[in-house]
Amino acid sequence: MSSSSIPKADLESFSNHLKQSRRILALLGAGLSASSGLPTFRGTGGLWRSHEATSLATPEAFAQDAALVWQFYSYRRHMALQAQPNLAHHALAALARRNPEFITLSQNVDGLSQRAGHRASQLHLLHGSLFDVRCTAFDCDFIQQNNFTDPIVPALAIPREQAQLKPSETDNTGAEAASSLYNAMHTANASSAKELDISDDRIEIPQIPHDELPHCPQCGDGLLRPGVVWFGETLPRRTMAAVDAFIDEPRKIDLILVVGTSAKVYPAAGYVDEARAKGAKVAVVNMDRKDTPGGPGGLQEGDWFFEGDASKILPEILKPVIGDISRKGLGQFPAAEMI
């Protein structure tokens, strides 16, 4: 469903409710970033090189081969920075600026909401961020947020295609050989050289020494790690506490937006029911009607399901509050602070 084909009655009823809503919660999943073209590496069968991606997202994998894990996450950081926040990210950021009682709980780690200028105080990251880093040393508390440096250290730069020497079969003067050697030497590290797809295990990746991996600038000794939640780790307490505090307020919740996620995995799955119990109506934006909280029958009378691309639908359904952002240059939106 494109924005132009949203049923008029659904759009009008949602718009009327949105304009009267104050306390709004958004729950975001990978579908929000689909239009930005990012690979997700989710679920069984999601491979990076010959490794199942989930097998690299553990403390044990990092302890065993920190270089390999950092190469995986450096690749993901690089891919995320090549992508751009889409209009759905900007629409939610605009709603946060308009409504200080709107909070967002995101399951995404790609940094696109932050780069769209979504207020940090209203954006809670359930699974952390690719662009946060923290020290692994036991006695060091160093944490850095929104580190968008790419690569984070020189050794993790994406390898580039090397120019090849091509011996001449006809020139006996050496002129062509000299020219070929010159070109190879001067293009080997050129920024114009094509990046290699290191997600393909046929592409050789360098062996990175431990001392060339990201180290802590505070203690000088500890190895930095990506600030994402790995399998076997607890979810961030501050994030959980902030969302729980929002839900537990005595005042009702007017609306919960569920965008690009089926919300079937806890704790995310519980937030829809908790918000509904506090009086919220539910609006789902997703590509597949089967991916609704609780399944196809999970919505109730008075809820909304908007089927289609979130980057097209969210700017349309939020327009009564945020205005028409599709006709504005995205450059006017404040960028997240780059470190």
Side-chain angles (χ1 to χ4, degrees), residues 61-282:
F62 190 74
Q64 181 177 353
D65 193 342
L68 178 64
V69 172
W70 255 120
Q71 284 171 309
F72 171 57
Y73 280 98
S74 182
Y75 173 83
R76 293 185 64 186
R77 283 167 59 97
H78 183 71
M79 292 294 291
L81 287 172
Q82 301 309 299
Q84 295 300 319
N86 62 54
L87 282 174
H89 297 102
H90 286 290
L92 292 166
L95 182 60
R97 291 193 294 273
R98 294 273 187 164
N99 182 357
E101 294 192 274
F102 165 54
I103 70 165
T104 295
L105 178 61
S106 179
Q107 301 172 85
N108 298 334
V109 298
D110 54 36
L112 292 177
S113 291
Q114 298 93 304
R115 289 170 56 203
H118 201 122
R119 286 178 172 170
S121 60
Q122 293 170 256
L123 178 64
H124 303 287
L125 303 176
L126 189 61
H127 297 153
S129 170
L130 292 170
F131 301 99
D132 294 349
V133 291
R134 61 183 176 87
C135 185
T136 57
F138 178 77
D139 56 350
C140 184
D141 61 359
F142 177 80
I143 297 175
Q144 185 181 41
Q145 295 179 320
N146 293 340
N147 181 329
F148 293 105
T149 304
D150 182 36
I152 190 168
V153 292
L156 288 170
I158 302 295
R160 292 182 179 272
E161 195 172 58
Q162 299 294 309
Q164 301 295 319
L165 288 174
K166 298 180 180 179
S168 173
E169 297 179 357
T170 59
D171 177 39
N172 296 321
T173 67
E176 287 191 20
S179 177
S180 178
L181 177 61
Y182 177 87
N183 290 334
M185 292 176 61
H186 285 268
T187 61
N189 296 312
S191 60
S192 60
K194 181 181 177 182
E195 289 180 344
L196 299 176
D197 180 9
I198 63 170
S199 67
D200 185 340
D201 63 1
R202 293 172 298 181
I203 302 296
E204 185 177 355
I205 57 176
Q207 298 296 314
I208 302 178
H210 183 272
D211 60 1
E212 293 184 21
L213 293 173
H215 280 74
C216 179
Q218 179 171 294
C219 70
D221 183 54
L223 193 62
L224 295 179
R225 56 157 283 181
V228 297
V229 178
W230 282 333
F231 290 98
E233 296 182 327
T234 58
L235 297 177
R237 287 193 294 265
R238 288 185 180 180
T239 295
M240 304 297 289
V243 178
D244 288 344
F246 179 88
I247 292 174
D248 292 341
E249 274 194 38
R251 293 181 297 154
K252 68 172 291 189
I253 298 173
D254 299 300
L255 175 67
I256 179 169
L257 296 168
V258 183
V259 183
T261 176
S262 61
K264 293 178 181 177
V265 178
Y266 282 86
Y271 289 127
V272 177
D273 292 335
E274 291 183 51
R276 195 191 293 281
K278 294 296 295 286
K281 289 191 173 185
V282 180

Side-chain angles (χ1 to χ4, degrees), residues 10-20 304 316-317 320:
D10 289 351
L11 187 57
E12 288 182 351
S13 62
F14 178 82
S15 296
N16 290 333
H17 185 73
L18 176 68
K19 287 185 285 189
Q20 298 171 13
W304 300 271
E316 183 70 17
I317 66 174

